[in-house]
Amino acid sequence: MIVDSHNRIHNYLRISLTDNCNLRCFYCMPEEDYLFTPASQLMQTDEIRKLSEVFVEEGVNKIRLTGGEPLVRKDAGKIIRSLAELPVNLTITTNGTRLHEFVELFKEVNINSVNISLDTLHEEKFKLITRRDQFTNVMNNIRLMLDNGLSVKINVVVMKGLNDNEINDFIEWTRDVPVHIKFIEFMPFEGNRWTSNKVFTLQEILDVIAGKYLFIRLQNDAHDTSKKFYVPGHKGTFAVISTMSENFCGDCNRIRLTADGKMKNCLFSKNETDLLSALRAGQDVRGLIHQNIKRKAKELGGQFSNDFEHIDVSEINNRSMITIGG
Ligand code: SAM
Ligand code: SF4
């Protein structure tokens, strides 16, 4: 078992397949002309499989593929097929632009739930946020997933003044369509123009929804990062990931592997362990995993607290989100 010094058991691995992406969401990828990591420095298909096997032997039973955009990687299909052979619940977080190329594979390997990012229901605003013209494509692919019986969770990063006025439009969407909306509080990463006054908190989100809908809290599953709710009569549900205002670190079971093979024990951890170089050098990866997890901070990588109004972003030592893997 992978246990940290706060007695948290870690059974959920999030693997970033690449820091490359076909969108340019400003809160995730700092610069338009960002230089992607060369393919040779990324974990190769067999290396992802080997590292995953070690994690599984140590108790991991859930793997989420993320990025960058995991589905822009040329060998994404091969990686998915390979990991689907392991005894894990395999899921994916994607921007949705390439899903039409993968729907048959998902059905074949029993991926029955996908998280798709969509921060706005307006085409022009989508272009503003992502700097690319892919709104219709993403909406069509959401429909395609639903038509093929997959469960669809929609990740919405809520930013004050940008899309907080659309919260109830997303809730309205759940009336007749079985989508599960996950509102995410805006988080600080290197170069992402984060300021505390752009954070729209859990409480603010619930207040907006309460102005129009009656909703009920759902029971949380163990290790849930989100607080879940539903509006009676609606086919979909909604949830809020309140990293900034009310963190869920006490129950954390997550480990991250960046696309260049570095283990991070928290989204905000300063320290990384280079598992890929160790694997390539024939060293013991297992020992490194346990050493790394023992250094896991109690909350938020030890970098800040829920007193987010007082965060000094210049003091946060971390990669940008696109290079970590969300
Ligand atoms: N490309 C895929 C996508 O967009 O879903 C997967 C990678 S993306 C980094 C994973 C998730 O992180 C997305 O839902 C994205 O909205 C979220 N994310 C990125 N930057 C964020 C930030 N600064 N605050 C909160 N969520 C963020
Ligand atoms: Fe790409 Fe996803 Fe980051 Fe947007 S959030 S830039 S789609 S990796």
Side-chain angles (χ1 to χ4, degrees), residues 27-302:
Y27 53 75
C28 173
M29 189 191 289
E31 296 157 34
E32 175 76 35
D33 51 2
Y34 170 82
L35 286 178
F36 301 115
T37 307
S40 63
Q41 286 171 30
L42 300 181
M43 295 183 288
Q44 305 301 301
T45 314
D46 60 321
E47 293 168 333
I48 294 174
R49 167 74 184 232
K50 278 188 199 137
L51 288 173
S52 300
E53 278 174 5
V54 177
F55 277 104
V56 169
E57 281 162 21
E58 295 305 296
V60 163
N61 57 17
K62 178 172 179 183
I63 293 181
R64 176 173 297 279
L65 301 179
T66 178
E69 173 47 40
L71 299 182
V72 299
R73 213 175 132 144
K74 286 197 188 70
D75 54 356
K78 217 167 128 193
I79 296 168
I80 291 169
R81 264 204 181 81
S82 171
L83 297 185
E85 291 168 5
L86 300 175
V88 293
N89 169 8
L90 184 63
T91 54
I92 189 158
T93 299
T94 169
N95 63 27
T97 55
R98 296 265 172 100
L99 279 170
H100 51 284
E101 297 169 33
F102 289 86
V103 59
E104 292 309 321
L105 173 62
F106 287 178
K107 288 199 284 184
E108 185 190 319
V109 302
N110 283 327
I111 291 183
N112 42 33
S113 168
V114 283
N115 285 30
I116 302 174
S117 298
L118 181 73
D119 303 316
T120 175
L121 296 168
H122 297 282
E123 188 160 9
E124 284 310 308
K125 205 188 284 181
F126 184 93
K127 268 193 234 168
L128 189 82
I129 295 172
T130 67
R131 296 179 268 192
R132 293 293 182 270
D133 188 5
Q134 287 286 331
F135 178 76
T136 308
N137 187 20
V138 173
M139 290 303 280
N140 287 344
N141 277 340
I142 290 171
R143 175 47 59 199
L144 182 71
M145 292 296 110
L146 292 169
D147 289 347
N148 277 277
L150 278 94
S151 164
V152 175
K153 295 191 179 122
I154 304 288
N155 286 359
V156 185
V157 181
V158 185
M159 290 158 283
K160 202 176 271 179
L162 184 63
N163 59 352
D164 56 305
N165 60 343
E166 291 190 54
I167 289 170
N168 280 337
D169 297 340
F170 278 101
I171 300 297
E172 193 53 35
W173 195 18
T174 67
R175 185 187 292 275
D176 297 318
V177 182
V179 282
H180 304 287
I181 310 291
K182 285 175 113 174
F183 296 111
I184 306 175
E185 290 179 352
F186 184 27
M187 298 182 274
F189 295 99
E190 195 178 295
N192 80 346
R193 297 194 240 160
W194 184 92
T195 52
S196 62
N197 61 5
K198 287 187 198 148
V199 177
F200 206 73
T201 62
L202 162 72
Q203 196 49 55
E204 289 173 308
I205 292 170
L206 295 184
D207 286 347
V208 168
I209 300 171
K212 188 159 175 203
Y213 300 92
L214 197 77
F215 57 85
I216 295 169
R217 176 104 191 238
L218 285 161
Q219 189 79 29
N220 268 44
D221 296 330
H223 311 296
D224 259 346
T225 53
S226 59
K227 295 163 182 71
K228 295 181 187 153
F229 306 86
Y230 82 103
V231 178
H234 283 210
K235 291 192 173 144
T237 60
F238 74 93
V240 184
I241 302 189
S242 55
T243 314
M244 302 310 297
S245 69
E246 215 178 285
N247 75 52
F248 31 80
C249 304
D251 197 25
C252 184
N253 64 341
R254 296 164 171 228
I255 308 164
R256 291 186 146 80
L257 199 50
T258 63
D260 56 353
K262 312 274 186 345
M263 173 175 168
K264 272 175 87 73
N265 56 35
C266 170
L267 193 49
F268 298 103
S269 64
K270 288 185 212 164
N271 298 320
E272 301 176 350
T273 301
D274 188 352
L275 298 187
L276 180 59
S277 298
L279 181 78
R280 287 182 178 173
Q283 289 167 6
D284 173 25
V285 172
R286 213 173 297 264
L288 293 176
I289 292 172
H290 290 286
Q291 274 170 27
N292 177 298
I293 210 72
K294 290 286 180 236
R295 293 201 303 267
K296 179 159 172 156
K298 193 164 170 229
E299 58 174 14
L300 301 167

